[in-house]
Amino acid sequence: MSTSPPPLPPDDEMRGIFRTMTLIRRFEERAADEYMAGRIGGFLHLAIGEEAAIVGTVCALRPDDPLTSTYREHGQALARGSDPRAIMAELLGRSTGLCGGRGGSMHLMDISRSFYGGYGIVGGAVPLAVGLAWAARYRGGDQVAVTMFGEGAANQGVVSECFNMAGLWDLPIVFLIVNNQYGMGTSAKDAAATEDFFPRAAAYGIEAWKVDGMDVLAVRTAVSEAARIARDEGRAACVELLTYRYKGHSMSDPDTTRSAEEKDRWRARDPLITFERVLLGEGVMDAEAIAAMRAEVDQVVDDAAAFAEQSPEVPVSEVARNVYAYPWNDDPRGSALVSP
Amino acid sequence: MTTPPPEVTYRDALNQALREEMHRDESVFLMGEDIGHFDGAFKVTRGLLAEFGEQRVVDTPITEAGFTGLGIGAAMAGLRPVIEIMTVNFALVAMDQIISNASKIRYMFGGQASVPMVIRMPGGAGHQLSAQHSHSLEAMFTHVPGLKVVVPATPEDAKGLLKTAIRDDDPVIFLESEGLYGKKGPVGGDDDLIPFGQAVVRRPGRDCTVIAHSRMVWVALAAAERLAEQGIEVEVVDPRTFRPLDLGTLAASVARTSRAVVVDEGWPECGIAAGVAAHLYEACFDLLDAPIGRVNSADVPMPYARNLEQAAIPQPDDVVAAVMATMAREVPR
Ligand SMILES: Cc1ncc(C[n+]2csc(CCOP(=O)(O)OP(=O)(O)O)c2C)c(N)n1
């Protein structure tokens, strides 16, 4: 183990990391407003507090490394560079949305940026990432598949199946266990037999370890190393990112079970605040530059919200589109019926 | 290119389809339990490991949810996985992957991704395998938009439909019948694909339409022989795929005969027979001379004892009785 901390990323990348974390935070705060105004339906899961885990991961990957996530995935899409307008329009269920209004907040995808989607069944997307890794190796490519899922998902049987397959077949995959310490209202302590989750992957011969998921540079370093193991050594790796979400599980959760004292403790470690200190301390940005960046991000978010609100609804006549590669007919009562 | 022998088993017809499509397209690979070194639980994949190697014929751990999900992910990345689930009974532990992922991905993400995969699996009762190993789950899969559901009854259909399934850009549930693997018949060649959504008339007749699929086609044909001895000519129609369903051909037959019986090895409640009958009522109620009959397995978990099992699954006599009831019009008006 090396003792000295790794060198800081180049200044440009440092600024980019800060901007993306800020964008995710502001975007999600605006999404919460849109939800409260009744313009967003369904579930809305915010990752506020988890920005370091998201951005530290994405900036450690190549843009063509396939990535999957959970329903808490606005940040992954933003970090991969998807258009904030299209994301907000998807949240509002508009025709200009990233997925044409069919997926909503839980199911963003931008395949042009190798973001293979957010999925709503806890643990259910993990085998898809194993398949993406399989496909990369099958074709002789050097992409690394990456899947982010919660510590709650780590209790699902299919996740253990995936650790086994990835260990058995030495697949180029990185499993990222985003341990925000709660699955809805249940503390991980009340749901898991062990405190740490990464040893479960290690049990299948996968190199696995845990890092501070509130420290974006620590996440970046760990995920870079995990991706290196997967890409260069052709075997799976797993990193547990210890983090915290500041809001309830979703917008419909009043968040009454977690203590104020606990929340304050984690808020003191807010990744945006701590990274801002690093930027100032290292002289990468000064207060003025940071204020200017915030204003620019706010404008992007304002523009995204305005765009989404003004976007047209999806024509109801298109409800049966994309059930199949080609439709037999457009009748929603029988999208696979060859009519008399 | 060797000409295939004139008569092959359903099992070997499937094997031919796999081999031909693997030769044609490098992105096709096979994955499942015991399909390589063991040649498959039903020997459908015999010889393919030796021919194509371990990269393309993959023995898996017993982990159906895991490797079904793997197949979906690989398909999203553009490969064409053919996943063998040893029997349909074990698909139940992979149902989340099939329903929540495979069937949804194209639609839910606005058409950005495809899942061009095939999940092959045999099902059906008749071998005294008792309650947990005898399912016919056509109705469960047919319930789900986004899946295609294929149910071949003959070696020719097994081959031609499997080739179509492998080339299709959507997830295809390919339901084989354990009772048909040894059935012999002619098969098509390399280029003989059978399109989805085309029912076929297995036996023409003027008096009553009998709709049956997979092994039930043979039960229906046996019943048709017996009925013919009594002067009743039934028309046996095989839908071949339930998604898409060729309602046009089914309804045209019913329009000719004015009577229909639907035979299905699954359970009666909300089953295939019920669904097909509902479509026919909507399409040709005015043309019917009698209520549509249904022949299903008994509404029980499949029993082990031979006599009980035989009583619980549709037999030719059950089809004969259903047709006779339909012909007799013994119905309250
Ligand atoms: C299979 C399944 N069971 C239950 C749920 C309901 N549910 C949604 S999120 C969630 C908690 C998941 O916790 P975790 O995996 O730690 O991720 P987090 O939400 O904390 O990001 C639950 C129980 C679900 N979506 N899927």
Side-chain angles (χ1 to χ4, degrees):
Chain A
M1 278 289 137
S2 64
T3 45
S4 57
L8 292 175
D11 285 3
D12 269 359
E13 191 180 343
M14 296 274 279
R15 282 190 286 268
I17 287 169
F18 187 62
R19 181 184 181 276
T20 307
M21 289 203 296
T22 307
L23 174 63
I24 295 171
R25 175 72 56 95
R26 293 293 170 107
F27 183 94
E28 291 209 310
E29 286 168 350
R30 174 57 73 93
D33 294 343
E34 296 286 327
Y35 181 92
M36 295 312 285
R39 285 188 285 268
I40 293 177
F43 292 144
L44 182 71
H45 307 88
L46 305 179
I48 291 178
E50 302 180 18
E51 292 90 346
I54 297 164
V55 179
T57 293
V58 171
C59 73
L61 304 178
R62 265 182 13 199
D64 63 338
D65 287 335
L67 173 68
T68 74
S69 180
T70 69
Y71 40 82
R72 197 183 301 286
E73 89 295 29
H74 311 139
Q76 279 83 352
L78 288 164
R80 266 290 161 96
S82 301
D83 184 354
R85 288 178 154 197
I87 300 173
M88 193 64 91
E90 186 62 32
L91 269 49
L92 270 70
R94 302 303 168 93
S95 62
T96 51
L98 200 56
C99 301
R102 305 316 197 277
S105 161
M106 293 195 283
H107 307 300
L108 302 174
M109 169 186 271
D110 191 343
I111 214 149
S112 70
R113 290 179 165 76
S114 295
F115 178 44
Y116 276 80
Y119 297 82
I121 305 300
V122 170
V126 181
L128 305 184
V130 180
L132 293 165
W134 177 276
R137 198 188 61 180
Y138 189 92
R139 292 210 171 98
D142 65 347
Q143 296 89 349
V144 169
V146 180
T147 179
M148 303 181 78
F149 55 92
E151 89 293 334
N155 292 324
Q156 283 281 28
V158 74
V159 174
S160 292
E161 296 184 28
C162 289
F163 290 155
N164 183 50
M165 292 190 297
L168 172 69
W169 290 322
D170 282 329
L171 294 174
I173 183 167
V174 174
F175 297 99
L176 296 177
I177 305 173
V178 182
N179 182 356
N180 65 13
Q181 308 173 53
Y182 288 85
M184 293 185 69
T186 301
S187 162
K189 290 188 181 64
D190 296 333
T194 54
E195 185 181 332
D196 289 333
F197 290 86
F198 70 91
R200 300 179 185 196
Y204 293 92
I206 293 171
E207 200 149 329
W209 67 101
K210 184 174 181 176
V211 297
D212 178 2
M214 303 302 270
D215 177 344
V216 70
L217 297 182
V219 173
R220 178 179 173 276
T221 303
V223 176
S224 298
E225 172 59 9
R228 189 197 62 73
I229 290 170
R231 203 180 321 274
D232 299 347
E233 298 179 21
R235 57 201 178 88
C238 171
V239 185
E240 178 175 344
L241 311 170
L242 185 65
T243 181
Y244 198 79
R245 64 168 153 73
Y246 296 154
K247 304 285 181 186
H249 168 71
S250 74
M251 286 299 288
S252 53
D253 168 17
D255 192 21
T256 48
T257 53
R258 302 183 302 171
S259 75
E261 183 269 321
E262 178 183 287
K263 282 183 232 177
D264 288 346
R265 196 151 31 87
W266 285 93
R267 275 197 184 275
R269 308 200 47 230
D270 188 321
L272 272 73
I273 296 173
T274 54
F275 194 62
E276 183 179 340
R277 267 186 228 129
V278 174
L279 292 173
L280 292 168
E282 296 290 331
V284 180
M285 293 179 85
D286 58 20
E288 206 179 324
I290 287 172
M293 177 179 285
R294 285 213 178 96
E296 180 262 328
V297 164
D298 283 345
Q299 220 169 6
V300 168
V301 171
D302 284 345
D303 169 72
F307 173 84
E309 287 168 29
Q310 287 155 23
S311 287
E313 293 193 325
V314 191
V316 172
S317 61
E318 292 178 6
V319 70
R321 179 172 293 181
N322 284 322
V323 177
Y324 294 100
Y326 51 91
W328 288 282
N329 65 46
D330 279 334
D331 181 355
R333 289 182 59 250
S335 55
L337 211 55
V338 179
S339 296
Chain B
M1 184 101 352
T2 55
T3 336
E7 291 259 304
V8 304
T9 61
Y10 186 94
R11 167 187 293 114
D12 290 340
L14 293 163
N15 183 278
Q16 285 183 11
L18 293 171
R19 173 179 282 115
E20 289 170 12
E21 293 307 300
M22 289 179 81
H23 275 300
R24 197 185 59 82
D25 183 352
E26 287 226 318
S27 66
V28 178
F29 71 96
L30 315 184
M31 187 172 257
E33 291 157 17
D34 283 314
I35 67 166
H37 293 100
F38 192 64
D39 283 335
F42 296 92
K43 308 304 169 197
V44 171
T45 50
R46 195 197 319 257
L48 298 180
L49 173 63
E51 192 167 344
F52 295 100
E54 288 187 342
Q55 176 77 355
R56 297 184 68 193
V57 181
V58 186
D59 280 323
T60 66
I62 304 158
T63 194
E64 286 84 1
F67 66 73
T68 300
L70 186 160
I72 298 166
M76 289 168 84
L79 299 185
R80 293 190 175 266
V82 181
I83 302 295
E84 175 174 311
I85 294 183
M86 193 178 278
T87 76
V88 74
N89 310 289
F90 317 137
L92 292 170
V93 298
M95 219 57 170
D96 175 49
Q97 290 301 319
I98 296 170
I99 296 182
S100 296
N101 287 337
S103 79
K104 302 292 192 291
I105 279 168
R106 176 186 300 284
Y107 187 87
M108 182 166 87
F109 296 122
Q112 291 183 70
S114 298
V115 183
M117 85 188 293
V118 181
I119 305 176
R120 295 180 37 240
M121 45 201 169
H127 301 89
Q128 282 194 273
L129 296 177
S130 185
Q132 296 182 331
H133 277 74
S134 299
H135 289 111
S136 292
L137 300 179
E138 285 89 326
M140 278 197 194
F141 295 111
T142 302
H143 192 54
V144 183
L147 298 179
K148 291 174 178 171
V149 181
V150 180
V151 284
T154 67
E156 184 178 14
D157 281 6
K159 181 173 179 183
L161 289 168
L162 183 55
K163 288 168 75 80
T164 302
I166 292 170
R167 298 188 199 186
D168 196 275
D169 285 337
D170 288 311
V172 178
I173 303 298
F174 196 89
L175 296 169
E176 299 163 11
S177 166
E178 289 177 39
L180 291 179
Y181 279 129
K183 190 106 198 157
K184 283 191 168 177
V187 294
D190 218 333
D191 298 320
D192 292 322
L193 274 68
I194 296 174
F196 293 169
Q198 284 191 10
V200 61
V201 176
R202 296 281 178 205
R203 174 188 175 117
R206 60 173 188 274
D207 296 323
C208 178
T209 298
V210 176
I211 295 162
H213 68 278
S214 191
R215 193 176 70 79
M216 290 299 111
V217 168
W218 303 98
V219 171
L221 288 171
E225 287 292 321
R226 290 179 206 178
L227 286 159
E229 287 162 15
Q230 300 173 49
I232 296 170
E233 290 297 335
V234 300
E235 179 150 297
V236 178
V237 186
D238 174 2
R240 300 202 281 194
T241 60
F242 285 119
R243 272 186 181 270
L245 178 68
D246 180 4
L247 185 55
T249 297
L250 270 47
S253 175
V254 174
R256 285 192 294 275
T257 62
S258 304
R259 293 180 170 82
V261 167
V262 193
V263 189
D264 165 31
E265 199 178 317
W267 291 302
E269 292 308 312
C270 300
I272 284 290
V276 169
H279 276 308
L280 290 172
Y281 280 123
E282 286 173 355
C284 38
F285 183 80
D286 294 339
L287 303 174
L288 286 168
D289 282 348
I292 296 169
R294 286 190 290 156
V295 179
N296 284 99
S297 279
D299 195 22
V300 299
M302 195 56 64
Y304 164 72
R306 175 138 196 89
N307 64 324
L308 291 183
E309 183 189 43
Q310 289 302 311
I313 60 183
Q315 304 292 346
D317 281 348
D318 300 318
V319 179
V320 168
V323 170
M324 295 298 269
T326 306
M327 300 298 295
R329 289 205 238 173
E330 282 172 6
V331 289
R333 286 265 167 187

